[in-house]
């Protein structure tokens, strides 16, 4: 059952990343991030209200808030990278590195003991970090093709992904989905109010909706 939940989660993550990437090329990536986190907060609150919770502790809420802050940072960097780089580079780098960092941090700081098969999977996916950036290309301004940039935004996003996974894993399950809701609230607070600015990838003049986080 856990594997099915993981596959469903991966499908949702992939769909959201793809949609966020497309929207970030039309509007400012910070606006896309802010609206995405706000929508996530509303969904998390609705789900938490409908799900039973034995007790919600301050510690669980704090871990959830840390997870949400990592999620906001990850989506900010991810959407920024997608707004100006190849989607086939940024998303795989952030996903693979984020998972690998989560496992390593779990081993070093949380006492996790992955199986040999899990370590083999990490060793197999690690070359992606070198192979993917060498072969991608994305559309530039005016339809010009440009070579894939160094996946700096993808790597930064992976750090946020690792914080998100580790923080949420530490939240007590008896709190139901309220730690998730606390994380969405923290993510919204981490995103500043959208402002006016220049789109980072298209060079639009000031006056188009922009934003910062």
């Amino acid at each position: 059952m856990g594997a099915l939940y993981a596959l469903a989660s991966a499908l949702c993550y992939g769909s959201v990343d793809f949609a966020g990437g497309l929207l970030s090329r039309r509007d400012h990536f910070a606006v896309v991030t802010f609206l995405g986190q706000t929508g996530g907060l509303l969904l998390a609150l609705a789900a938490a209200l409908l799900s039973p919770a034995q007790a919600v502790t301050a510690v669980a809420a704090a871990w959830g808030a840390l997870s949400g802050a990592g999620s906001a940072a990850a989506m900010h960097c991810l959407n920024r990278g997608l707004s100006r780089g190849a989607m086939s580079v940024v998303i795989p780098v952030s996903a693979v590195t984020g998972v690998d960092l989560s496992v390593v941090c779990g081993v070093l700081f949380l006492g996790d003991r992955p199986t040999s098969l899990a370590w083999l999977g990490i060793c197999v996916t690690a070359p992606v970090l070198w192979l993917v950036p060498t072969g991608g290309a994305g559309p530039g301004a005016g339809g010009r093709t440009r070579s894939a940039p160094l996946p700096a935004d993808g790597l930064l996003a992976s750090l946020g992904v690792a914080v998100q996974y580790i923080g949420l894993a530490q939240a007590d399950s008896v709190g139901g989905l309220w730690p998730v809701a606390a994380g969405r609230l923290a993510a919204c607070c981490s995103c500043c109010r959208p402002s006016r600015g220049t789109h980072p990838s298209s060079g639009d003049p000031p006056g188009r909706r922009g934003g910062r986080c």
Side-chain angles (χ1 to χ4, degrees):
M1 195 63 180
L4 293 178
Y5 284 136
L7 290 174
S9 177
L11 179 62
C12 292
Y13 266 110
S15 301
V16 169
D17 289 345
F18 179 76
L22 293 181
L23 292 174
S24 294
R25 295 183 180 183
R26 298 179 54 187
D27 295 298
H28 199 283
F29 63 86
V31 176
V32 175
T33 302
F34 178 79
L35 295 179
Q37 298 298 334
T38 302
L41 173 60
L42 296 177
L43 289 175
L45 286 174
L49 289 171
L50 296 175
S51 302
Q54 299 178 16
V56 183
T57 64
V59 174
W63 280 115
L66 178 63
S67 173
S71 174
M75 294 309 300
H76 176 84
C77 294
L78 185 65
N79 288 334
R80 182 175 63 186
L82 294 175
S83 71
R84 59 190 184 187
M87 190 176 298
S88 59
V89 173
V90 179
I91 291 180
V93 169
S94 64
V96 172
T97 313
V99 172
D100 289 353
L101 284 176
S102 301
V103 174
V104 172
C105 290
V107 171
L108 294 178
F109 305 111
L110 304 178
D112 293 346
R113 293 294 179 267
T115 63
S116 299
L117 187 60
W119 282 117
L120 177 61
I122 292 176
C123 293
V124 169
T125 58
V128 172
L129 300 179
W130 178 80
L131 292 174
V132 171
T134 61
R144 296 187 300 271
T145 301
R146 60 188 178 190
S147 60
L150 292 175
D153 287 314
L155 293 175
L156 291 174
S158 69
L159 295 176
V161 170
V163 172
Q164 175 189 2
Y165 289 163
I166 294 172
L168 196 57
Q170 301 309 301
D172 198 335
S173 60
V174 297
L177 294 177
W178 286 107
V180 178
R184 296 305 93 213
L185 179 60
C188 290
C189 293
S190 299
C191 298
C192 297
R193 177 179 59 86
S195 60
R196 301 175 73 86
T198 301
H199 193 279
S201 61
S202 62
D204 290 339
R208 180 171 180 172
R209 293 293 295 179
R212 298 176 183 173
C213 280

